[in-house]
Amino acid sequence: MKDVYILGIESSCDETSISIVKNGYIEIATTISTQMDTHALYGGVVPEIASRMHTENITLVLEDLLNKTNMNISQVDAIAVTYAPGLLGSLLVGIEFAKTLSLVYNKPLIAVHHISGHIFANNLVKKIEYPTIALIVSGGHTELVKMTSDYDFEVLGTTLDDAIGECFDKVARVLDLKYPGGPNIERLAKLGKNNYRLPIPMNNNELNFSFSGLKSSVINLVHNELQRGNKINKEDLACSFQTIAIDELIRKTHLAIKQTGIKRLIVAGGVSANSYLRDKLEELSKELNVDLSIPPLKYCTDNATMIACAAYPLYLKGEFTNLELNGKSQEYFLK
Ligand code: KG4
Ligand code: ZN
């Protein structure tokens, strides 16, 4: 079969990224321009600044990418872009750019859901085999999903309130940690001990998650201690929170594997960059003799490589979109 080259574009949050991937799993080259330092000045992503910076950066990102390859755009087979979810203004910068390339170079346009991108990043490690369990842990999603083929998703469990990444970010805020919260909690947790007693979320045998109770108890604990004039051991609190939150992900993943009998596990989303989670998943996979795939760190955080990977099965199915494609700030990835 002829090789398929897809140019992927990602601009849903604070990273402008473009990548070319061959046959859905071979990265030719990727460029990522991050705005993290700018948004850190404000304690979080400022949507207006994000979209302006995407606009300023996107052509430079493309130029840099093409300089790393000996390819030009006329040699790619399709243009793929993240259409949801994310900051609308940011998404639209990538979408309009993708539409322009599609029109000028007469290439099919493929709309990719950001979370599908995180899932199909696993193909960069090893071709996903089915059936598999997928643990999806991001700023907006916490899900255990059964996949029987590409884009065939069955939700086994989901969060009833906050997503795990959102919870990390909110706890980081109350601990006065800088944006982005998740990696900073992880850094602090490495210096602390699991000394604080926090409530175990959803202590039952269902596959759903709930993190808002845990989040609130950390926030209340901090406020109460401050009101009493007591000092908080931030390292210990970060460690205690991280332990209980991640252990809950592990416990439910264990249950999903036991309940389905599926011996394959893929992991997706920004929180999969967390080293405590990665270590615990390694342990779990050894204990249950499960084939585990977690993308390397550089593919866990936002990038366009994963978008080009996720576009490949859609390309093979001929699932193209047209120039009416619009951004959607919120859309569930399951059809
Ligand atoms: O998957 P992602 O890009 O989010 C969405 O697409 O929604 O992941 C971003 C989330 C943020 O909540 C961030 O704090 C969290 O992933 N995150 C981490 C780590 N790195 C990123 N959380 C815990 N530990 C990390 N090392
Ligand atoms: Zn993401």
Side-chain angles (χ1 to χ4, degrees):
M1 209 176 82
K2 179 186 161 298
D3 287 331
V4 174
Y5 292 87
I6 296 181
L7 183 134
I9 301 172
E10 158 64 37
S11 68
S12 64
C13 191
D14 58 348
E15 260 93 31
T16 323
S17 179
I18 309 185
S19 175
I20 297 177
V21 172
K22 179 176 156 184
N23 298 339
Y25 71 99
I26 301 163
E27 180 185 15
I28 302 297
T30 300
T31 295
I32 304 178
S33 163
T34 180
Q35 310 170 3
M36 203 180 281
D37 291 345
T38 305
H39 297 295
L41 301 173
Y42 303 93
V45 179
V46 183
E48 187 59 35
I49 295 177
S51 40
R52 182 148 25 103
M53 288 184 79
H54 285 303
T55 311
E56 285 165 8
N57 291 337
I58 200 158
T59 45
L60 302 175
V61 169
L62 179 64
E63 198 178 4
D64 183 78
L65 171 82
L66 294 176
N67 284 339
K68 288 185 205 163
T69 68
N70 51 10
M71 291 182 72
N72 54 55
I73 299 171
S74 54
Q75 290 170 289
V76 305
D77 297 282
I79 309 291
V81 63
T82 308
Y83 78 98
L87 303 170
L88 193 57
S90 293
L91 286 165
L92 286 173
V93 176
I95 291 170
E96 293 308 315
F97 195 70
K99 283 185 194 173
T100 307
L101 293 180
S102 158
L103 185 68
V104 170
Y105 292 91
N106 193 25
K107 303 289 176 188
L109 184 62
I110 302 174
V112 174
H113 192 285
H114 183 81
I115 295 297
S116 301
H118 280 297
I119 292 171
F120 286 98
N122 281 280
N123 275 333
L124 292 159
V125 188
K126 185 162 75 86
K127 184 105 187 71
I128 304 172
E129 288 182 64
Y130 299 106
T132 186
I133 304 283
L135 171 68
I136 300 157
V137 281
S138 78
H141 292 72
T142 314
E143 248 118 8
L144 275 163
V145 172
K146 176 179 161 184
M147 290 178 72
T148 41
S149 63
D150 292 339
Y151 285 96
D152 190 344
F153 305 115
E154 180 194 330
V155 180
L156 303 173
T158 185
T159 180
L160 302 177
D161 39 59
D162 292 358
I164 179 83
E166 191 184 348
C167 197
F168 265 82
D169 294 338
K170 292 201 173 133
V171 168
R173 250 175 198 267
V174 80
L175 294 180
D176 287 329
L177 298 178
K178 275 203 165 153
Y179 169 84
N184 284 325
I185 294 255
E186 178 181 351
R187 223 163 286 141
L188 209 62
K190 283 193 175 134
L191 307 172
K193 292 198 178 70
N194 182 11
N195 277 340
Y196 282 93
R197 282 179 144 247
L198 298 169
I200 297 177
M202 292 282 285
N203 196 4
N204 60 19
N205 282 343
E206 281 177 31
L207 294 179
N208 286 331
F209 301 93
S210 167
F211 291 107
S212 72
L214 174 61
K215 174 195 73 185
S216 303
S217 70
V218 176
I219 295 172
N220 291 341
L221 189 149
V222 172
H223 288 163
N224 289 341
E225 291 297 306
L226 290 180
Q227 267 170 6
R228 290 190 193 119
N230 295 338
K231 241 184 125 258
I232 289 155
N233 184 324
K234 289 188 182 181
E235 289 80 5
D236 285 0
L237 190 50
C239 178
S240 305
F241 160 73
Q242 176 176 273
T243 308
I244 207 155
I246 301 282
D247 285 357
E248 177 66 358
L249 294 177
I250 298 295
R251 199 170 68 78
K252 295 281 158 93
T253 307
H254 188 146
L255 274 177
I257 293 166
K258 284 281 180 202
Q259 286 180 13
T260 59
I262 295 174
K263 293 280 194 173
R264 294 191 194 97
L265 176 64
I266 61 173
V267 189
V271 180
S272 58
N274 184 280
S275 61
Y276 179 69
L277 174 62
R278 296 170 84 90
D279 291 348
K280 284 281 170 183
L281 285 167
E282 290 287 348
E283 272 175 33
L284 181 72
S285 66
K286 283 200 186 102
E287 184 192 331
L288 300 182
N289 196 20
V290 161
D291 184 6
L292 170 70
S293 160
I294 317 181
L297 282 186
K298 66 172 178 171
Y299 299 130
C300 288
T301 45
D302 289 348
N303 65 84
T305 330
M306 65 185 198
I307 301 305
C309 292
Y312 180 70
L314 300 174
Y315 178 90
L316 294 183
K317 285 197 257 177
E319 280 194 26
F320 303 127
T321 183
N322 58 32
L323 297 179
E324 279 164 28
L325 176 66
N326 207 343
K328 291 194 176 159
S329 57
Q330 290 190 326
E331 174 152 280
Y332 204 48
F333 71 103
L334 303 162
K335 289 178 187 155

